[in-house]
Amino acid sequence: MAVHQSTHRSSGFHLPSFRSTRAVSAPETAVSAEAGTLTARAYVFASARVLMGFVFLWAFLDRTFGFGYATASGKGWVDGGSPTEGFLGHVAVGPMESTFHAWAGAAWTDWLFMLGLLGIGLALTAGAALRLAALAGTVMMALMWVAEWPPAKHLSDGSASMSTNPFADYHVVYAVVLIALAAVSAGDALGLSRWWARLPIVRDHAWLR
């Protein structure tokens, strides 16, 4: 009877135990906060990726159709203009000055440059093949950096180069951003990265991701 009564009484009214609630809710809150931080970070990188993609896509579209911004109306690629002749033909400094002059306006230079802009822009916007985009974009930015040659204080004719920074100009910044976007898999949010990674050829060759 004593045992029975003791058992019966223990099943009666109990005060709520805050200790167990706190023990469970604290880790859950921490996990929720961490997940929220990761989600916010993913969307920030995704936004940077899309914006960077638009930089390349706009350069391609303006040079192709001549919207009147960097490329004058009627001077677009579809109008017979050369996307590289103006820039490379006016290189006036650096160790590759004569080489860039020789490349200016060549058909292979125009096609390689324009396909590079289009491919990098589409990859970044879609969030797929970011490693390839980072590699191609870094090479392109490096060549453009050499063409402008920021370390020089004077051009080949002796005039001031007006360089604002001898090293860290926007070409270097763009290249670093491209590499960072690929490194953090910025295509996982608002992108096709996960679908792209499941393709058999991409699964077998990680460098295509």
Side-chain angles (χ1 to χ4, degrees), residues 30-144:
V31 170
S32 177
E34 183 178 358
T37 302
L38 291 175
T39 301
R41 187 182 305 165
Y43 282 108
V44 168
F45 279 118
S47 300
R49 188 200 80 234
V50 173
L51 286 173
M52 182 62 71
F54 185 69
V55 169
F56 284 88
L57 281 181
W58 176 260
F60 170 81
L61 293 172
D62 185 56
R63 284 167 172 76
T64 299
F65 300 105
F67 290 148
Y69 290 88
T71 305
S73 180
K75 296 294 182 67
W77 199 22
V78 295
D79 301 309
S82 170
T84 63
E85 185 174 9
F87 176 66
L88 295 181
H90 289 85
V91 172
V93 67
M96 294 184 63
E97 180 179 350
S98 59
T99 301
F100 286 134
H101 289 172
W103 290 356
W108 68 270
T109 310
D110 290 343
W111 276 96
L112 197 59
F113 178 62
M114 295 298 282
L115 288 177
L117 289 177
L118 178 62
I120 295 168
L122 289 177
L124 290 171
T125 305
L130 294 185
R131 294 181 182 179
L132 281 175
L135 175 61
T138 299
V139 171
M140 181 180 291
M141 291 300 106
L143 288 171
M144 294 178 72

Side-chain angles (χ1 to χ4, degrees), residues 5 72 79 94 121 158 161 164 189 208-209:
Q5 288 177 356
D79 301 309
S161 67
T164 57
L208 291 174
R209 295 191 63 179

Side-chain angles (χ1 to χ4, degrees), residues 21 25 73 81 83 86 93 102 110 146-147 193:
T21 303
S25 63
S73 180
V93 67
D110 290 343
V146 173
S193 178

